Amino acid sequence: MRARETRIAAVSPETMKDAVGLLSGGDVVAIPTETVYGLAANALDEVAVGKIYDAKGRPGNNPLIVHVSCVDEARELVADWPREAEALAEAFWPGPLTLVLSKRAGMVPDITTAGGNTVAVRCPDHPVALELIRQCGFPLAAPSANRSNHISPTTAEHVLESLGGRIPLILDGGPCRAGIESTVVMLSKDEAPVILRPGSILAEEISEVLGREVRERAAGAERSVVGATPMDGGAVLNEEVFLSPGLQQTHYSPTTPLVLVKPDDLDSFLGQMGMEGKRVGVLLFSGMENRGEYIYNIMMPRDAENYAFELYSALYRLDGMGLDVLVCEMPPEGTEWVAVRDRLVRAGCWYSP
Ligand code: TXA
Ligand code: MG
């Protein structure tokens, strides 16, 4: 695509007006939400939505979330607004919950929903996003404002790094509060609700509101491609496998290979990397002594909410350092860690000693 000049502008009445002007004219604008920055366009304008796919390099078979400012707007986009949608919206909107429902005919164009017969709707809990939707008078399609398969942005600078030269305007509303993307739940007439993507709103919170079990879609097979073959006699990075992007379906990835390591295996893995002269960046969880000059480490928070808030920033920071390998000392299992672990597992590969 042709290069464009990207302006990054603090939110003000003037820059809001600029954003509304661009969006109303069928262009894209990166905007803050409470989860991550989104790349917004008029969800009802197929040419405008096409520009989102182009700027991100996103495959056309991956549908977008349509952002609304209230329940009434969501209802206009769907074929049916079931009681369960009402209950969840009542409990969690505005907020980081996306509802996938059957799509009303003739409203949202196919390109926005990737040709499917469902539409994902969400009412974001961010004054800038809400005000933009209201001023525009149309819903905003907005995926995370990063190049396809890269780390989601939680600051305006992250957006610039990922999409600079491809979009006209980034509205800078400061760092995003939640730090990881919304929980996506699909409601259908015939089946139990399913969580398609975990997020800060937990499965049990949704169950509690609905008074019935929600299913969590089984995580894709976790990749475990780093490690020793029996002949290796120890831990060896199998770079051929984990450096070949075509071999795995990855999401949310840094450019530098990311290896997920259980706390008990951290020492042996770092020892191995040291011997190989690798320059390593580590997301630490349990704390650690200084393990040598080849290590750049970031101490991550011990609670899931703050960990989520800092995760993408930490990955951006380490990814920008030109290191050989990033290592994440994995946080524990347990319901509050489901979303964080989901993002990590998709971004990296397990180390199996
Ligand atoms: O927090 C968020 O959800 C952020 C902010 C900007 O709102 N948006 C976001 O969008 O993360 P994106 O495009 O990066 O992720 C949307 C996810 C994708 O996994 C997509 O496949 C899924 O939602 N999705 C969207 N529409 C869907 C649909 N109709 N059916 C099933 N999944 C859908
Ligand atoms: Mg995304």
Side-chain angles (χ1 to χ4, degrees), residues 17 50 71 74 108 177 194 224 287 289 297 325 331 342:
K17 227 164 109 193
V71 166
V108 179
R177 205 167 64 237
V194 191
S224 170
E289 304 297 308
N297 49 41
V325 185
D342 169 77

Side-chain angles (χ1 to χ4, degrees), residues 14 16 32 46 50 99 142 168 175 252 257 266 301 322 336:
E14 290 74 43
M16 289 290 280
E46 53 189 24
L99 302 174
Y252 313 108
L266 187 63
E336 73 273 31

Side-chain angles (χ1 to χ4, degrees), residues 158-177:
H158 295 162
V159 180
L160 188 65
E161 216 173 286
S162 197
L163 294 177
R166 305 175 76 89
I167 60 174
L169 178 64
I170 303 168
L171 272 187
D172 186 352
C176 300
R177 205 167 64 237

Side-chain angles (χ1 to χ4, degrees), residues 33 35-38 58 62-65 67 100 118-120 122 142-144 181-182 184 196-197:
T33 82
T35 57
V36 300
Y37 275 75
R58 181 175 176 115
N62 192 0
L64 307 179
I65 295 173
H67 296 70
V100 175
T118 58
V119 60
R122 154 166 137 80
S144 52
E181 306 85 346
S182 61
V184 179
L196 302 178
R197 177 176 71 183

